[in-house]
Each structure stands twice: as C-alpha cells, then as structure tokens.
Amino acid sequence: MAQNDWAQEIGRRRTFAIIAHPDAGKTTLTEKLLLYGGAIHMAGAVKARKAARHAVSDWMEIEKQRGISVTSSVMAFDYAGCRINILDTPGHQDFSEDTYRTLVAADAAVMLIDGAHGVEEQTIKLFHVCRMQGIPVFTFVNKMDRASKPPLELMEEIESVLGIRTYPVNWPIGTDGDLQGIYHRFDGEIELYQSGGDHGALQAKARRIKLDEADGALDSHYLDRLREDIELLDLAGDEWNVEAVSNGELSPMFFGSAMNNFGVQAFLELFLQLAPPPAPREDVSGPVQPTQPFSGFIFKIQAKMNPAHRDRIAFMRICSGRFEKGMEARSHLGGKPIRLAQPQQFMADSREMIEEAYAGDIIGLFDPGLFHLGETLSQSGKICYEGIPLFAPEYFARVSAMDSMKRKAFSRGMTELAEEGAVQLFRPPDSGREEWIAGVVGMLQLDVLKYRLQGEYGVEARMESMPVHYARWIVSGKADRLPSDASRAFDGQGRAVLLFEHEWSIRRAMEYNPGLELTDIAPRERV
Ligand code: G4P
C-alpha cells in the first residue's frame, strides 16, 4: 500500500479514553457508542459483560472472583468513516496504575460527569493525567434526565476544581428531572427529549426543530429561559476556539443522558469532527510524523489473559506507519529483530487476529516475556519515545515471604511483577534484599500482587500495610531535615523518594529544606 493511502487510514483514526468517577455512566455511554458503530447489536451487552464478567471472560482469575475489571482494554469500531479506538479504564474505585498508563496511549479524553455529583475525586486524578499529556478533553454531563446541579454551576465547578474552561456545545432545556430537550448552539436547533425506553436500545433519529420555530413545540417558559441562558453564554462565556480545544485549554461541553441514548449521537458526531487524529510524537531526536514507517510503544503488559497458557499480552500503541501481521521490528534497546506475532485487536466482547493496523491503533502482541513497559519498537530500531511515567502510589505495604525458604522465588516474583507494572517497589535505605515496600495507586493492586505471587510463583506473601499515603520523588535540592511522619526510600531505579503520612507534611518538608523540589510523577525514564 502506498504511503499516501496510509495517510488516509491514519487520518480517520480517533483514539480516546473515557475518564469518569465510578457510577457516572461510563459503561452505559461506552455501550451506546458501540451500538452506533454496530460493534454490538443489543443495548445491555456491555452492561451484562460488566455484571457477569466471570461468566464470559477468560481474563485474570481475580477479576472473575471480584467481578470487576482489574485491567484496561481497548475496543475498536467504525463509524461515519472513522476508525474509533476507545481505551477502556477500570471503573472500580480500586483502580490501578493501568488506568493512568492507558491515558498515555490516548489522543483525546472524554470526561464523563454525573450531572448530580459534578466533579468527583477520581475525575480529578484522571483529569490531571490528561492535562499532563496535553490532550484535548471533551466533557459529557450525563444523567440530565434526573435532578442535576444547575448547568452554570457545573461549568464553574469544572473551571475552579480542574482549572479548565468549558464551552457548552449544547444546553439542556428543563432541568431537575424535567428535561425537555437540548439546544445545539452551533446550528441553533433543539433536539426534543425522548426517553430511551429499554435502556435506549432504539436508535430513532432524534426530532430536531429550529429555535425560531419552536413556539408550539415547547411551553413558552422553557423557551424564554433558554433564550436568556444562551444570551448569557454568548455574552459572558468563552468564545469557540478550536486551537484552545486542541491544546487542552478549552473543553467542549455536552449535556445528555447515556441511559436514554439522548444527546449521544450528536455528541459522537461532533466529537469525531473535533477530536484530533494521531499527531506527531516526540522521540529523543524530535517529532516522529504518524506517516513515517512503522513505530509504536508498549504501554501495558497484561499477564495471563488466557489461563491455559503462561502467556502475556503486550499492548502497543502504534505511533507511526502501517503494522503488518508477522512483520519484524527492532527495539530501541537493541538486540535481534523481533517478529511481531499473533497481533490482536479487541472488540466489545471478543478479540480477533488482525492482518494490519495503522498509527493510532492499539494492538495486543503475544509476549513470551520479551517486552518491557515503555519500550519502543520500530522498523529501524532507532526511534525511542518517552517512557511511561510513574505515578506516586497512595497505598504502601511491607511485603515479605511467609516461608523464608521461598526467598528466591519471592524475589523473582516481586521483580518480574514490578517490571510488568503491577506494583512499584521501594526499598528503605540500608535494607537487605528481603525488605520490600510495595506501592500502589489502588488497594486492589495489593490483592492482585498477593494472588499472583501465590498463583504464579508459589509464594505466600505477608503484607503489612504502612501508614504512608504520599510518595514524592526528589527533583532537586537536599532533604536534610524531615517531619516526624516522613521517611526515606529508593524506587526500583534507585531514585530518592520521600514517603509521607500526611499531605501537610510535604509542605513542611519543603519549608525545612529550602531549595528542595519534589514531584508526584517520576520523570519518564527511557527503559
Ligand atoms: P460506570 O460504568 O461509570 O460505573 O457506570 P454505569 O454505566 O454502570 O452506570 C451507573 C448507573 O447509572 C447505572 O444504574 C446506570 O443505569 C445509571 N445511568 C447511566 N446513565 C444514566 C442516565 O443517563 N440517566 C440515569 N437516570 N441513569 C443513568 P444502576 O442502577 O447501577 O444499574 P441498572 O439498574 O441501570 O442496570
């Protein structure tokens, strides 16, 4: 295939993640999007998958037991001429670093907010990672069929809590469980609200009328209020600015109801127009254009997706060019060319072998233990993308083997699982090899660690949770004097870290040590 045909294929890719606090409706929205793409044929399919995962999925054993998603996956489908890749992120409260890492592979994010709850804790954490990536963030305010906070208050909340301005692309008519429709600001049309019946399974094209012709269709008090609101937004709100959207400074804001499939199609269509196709990515020597020959990086390694084999799947984000099944690529770490065998892509409820893929796509590669997190693969072997950042863990535990005879297997298990990114390892200064501190972003990762040490390495582990909730890497300066609740450690790469029990003592440490600079995201190390 000629290179300009690649360009066309790459230009139609849209790769994004949906970020949300649990229960905001991510599963429901994802399902509606898949329904438009024809990737599923029945509303309820993804929800059913969420509820009965243990019955249909061959993913990790622990996932079966807890019925929740420990890992993130990706779903691909076509709609309106675009190839859409949705990166799924664990919805459970005990989410892990996988969620953060997944965002490194996304070109845009959809921030889903429950209209009644506004910006919630996990929305904030995930938003900050998107901001660090500099990707555009689109806001979808969900559950507008129910009582919700006033839309203007939601705009203010997003701005004050997240520090991003919003541009409402549509505006709800009738709030607090009295939804009448939404007004589309770009074309001046009203989409009248229809409840979606059985979870919005019907995809009836919504009825639209011009605002000027809406007098008979809606009571005048709704229309008066709408005109007032729009005037206010036009006068006092931000101006539409595509560049600010691309830079992640302005978030296009949509209102709707995922469950009722209301406002979802209009959102999807506009999102596909506004969201960026794969952009050039920075390598050590400058930007790599998406149309250059094949390259990609590993952002996630998933162990034992098939319990029958001790296999791993390495998830690769393709950053440039065309990938072909069985092609050979070179790692930036050197070594022999690697045949990229058994490439797979993931749909709503299955995974399938693929023949080819393009920049923007996410593929899973069979991994007999070859790949590393953050590793770049390319045709030349000369490209090296930035590594995957390490995010400060929030839960810490001292981990040791119950049976001291199993020290060797324990040490191998801990090292391998840390390499795979399942946990972060720390070590107090002057400690022997037996003393490990495991740091995680979500508590569930500790359960996964214990479970996998037992299942894959035959080691029963003892875990003692530590009263530590904050880790900060030292960027510059010295930490000569520490508050009483702080301690020192080194991360897996030997970098100095301070561990704190309380947030305020981070500030105290900086007051005690002028010139001390700390960060909660470890600088990206190239593996
Ligand atoms: P999550 O993946 O973000 O955790 O959320 P999920 O989609 O599972 O949705 C959480 C709950 O919110 C579900 O209710 C879902 O039906 C409901 N929901 C999602 N979108 C809307 C919406 O637009 N309007 C309203 N009113 N509710 C919505 P549930 O009671 O947990 O499940 P179910 O009884 O619907 O199966």
Side-chain angles (χ1 to χ4, degrees), residues 426-440:
F426 298 89
R427 211 178 269 288
D430 312 319
S431 73
R433 272 203 78 74
E434 277 108 83
E435 204 176 337
W436 304 79
I437 296 171
V440 293

Side-chain angles (χ1 to χ4, degrees), residues 19-20 95 99-100 103 122-130:
I19 59 171
F95 80 140
T99 315
Y100 287 155
L103 293 173
Q122 236 155 86
T123 331
I124 302 175
K125 287 190 198 168
L126 293 164
F127 175 82
H128 284 305
V129 181
C130 293

Side-chain angles (χ1 to χ4, degrees), residues 208-451:
R208 283 191 178 218
I209 41 172
K210 285 267 171 220
L211 174 57
D212 310 341
E213 295 157 11
D215 282 339
L218 282 176
D219 271 0
S220 58
H221 72 274
Y222 291 117
L223 294 172
D224 292 346
R225 176 70 196 268
L226 174 66
R227 288 193 176 99
E228 271 170 35
D229 285 353
I230 296 303
E231 204 179 302
L232 184 70
L233 289 178
D234 287 346
L235 275 175
D238 278 68
E239 279 187 25
W240 178 243
N241 180 339
V242 178
E243 207 179 297
V245 173
S246 314
N247 298 337
E249 289 158 13
L250 183 70
S251 178
M253 188 174 186
F254 300 77
F255 294 85
S257 165
M259 189 177 84
N260 290 290
N261 206 348
F262 181 69
V264 176
Q265 191 171 14
F267 160 72
L268 175 62
E269 288 177 1
L270 217 64
F271 171 77
L272 293 178
Q273 280 176 36
L274 298 171
R281 236 171 225 255
E282 286 300 317
D283 150 64
V284 260
S285 51
V288 176
Q289 297 299 324
T291 47
Q292 279 177 230
F294 165 78
S295 71
F297 68 90
I298 307 290
F299 67 95
K300 169 180 154 66
I301 294 177
Q302 165 76 58
K304 293 190 87 179
M305 280 177 69
N306 181 351
H309 307 107
R310 277 188 71 92
D311 67 350
R312 306 200 301 189
I313 298 267
F315 286 81
M316 179 168 67
R317 150 81 200 218
I318 303 178
C319 300
S320 68
R322 175 171 182 263
F323 168 89
E324 218 174 295
K325 178 179 167 187
M327 77 189 293
E328 288 198 334
R330 287 177 181 272
S331 163
H332 78 274
L333 298 167
K336 287 195 215 129
I338 305 168
R339 179 170 296 279
L340 302 179
Q342 301 183 28
Q344 304 175 16
Q345 229 168 27
F346 301 83
M347 304 302 282
D349 48 10
S350 63
R351 45 181 163 145
E352 54 186 52
M353 288 292 172
I354 49 153
E355 296 296 322
E356 59 167 19
Y358 292 89
D361 288 338
I362 311 291
I363 57 171
L365 296 166
F366 172 73
D367 177 16
L370 267 177
F371 301 117
H372 303 82
L373 267 184
E375 182 172 3
T376 303
L377 294 159
S378 64
Q379 230 145 357
S380 63
K382 294 199 176 115
I383 298 178
C384 173
Y385 293 114
E386 285 190 326
I388 309 284
L390 275 183
F391 300 93
E394 291 167 33
Y395 302 94
F396 295 80
R398 278 202 183 83
V399 190
S400 55
M402 291 271 203
D403 179 352
S404 57
M405 301 295 282
K406 297 252 169 90
R407 274 203 311 255
K408 234 171 143 182
F410 172 69
S411 166
R412 190 165 64 91
M414 290 294 278
T415 313
E416 286 182 8
L417 292 173
E419 267 168 24
E420 197 189 282
V423 288
Q424 288 182 46
L425 293 185
F426 298 89
R427 211 178 269 288
D430 312 319
S431 73
R433 272 203 78 74
E434 277 108 83
E435 204 176 337
W436 304 79
I437 296 171
V440 293
V441 166
M443 279 291 268
L444 182 64
Q445 280 176 269
L446 289 176
D447 291 0
V448 174
L449 174 68
K450 197 172 167 116
Y451 185 89

Side-chain angles (χ1 to χ4, degrees), residues 20-29 47 50 91 112 142-146 199 256-260:
H21 191 84
D23 255 10
K26 186 158 65 72
T27 312
T28 313
L29 180 69
K47 269 203 96 62
K50 180 178 171 184
L112 185 68
N142 192 28
K143 306 198 188 181
M144 290 308 290
D145 56 313
R146 281 206 197 146
H199 271 261
S257 165
M259 189 177 84
N260 290 290

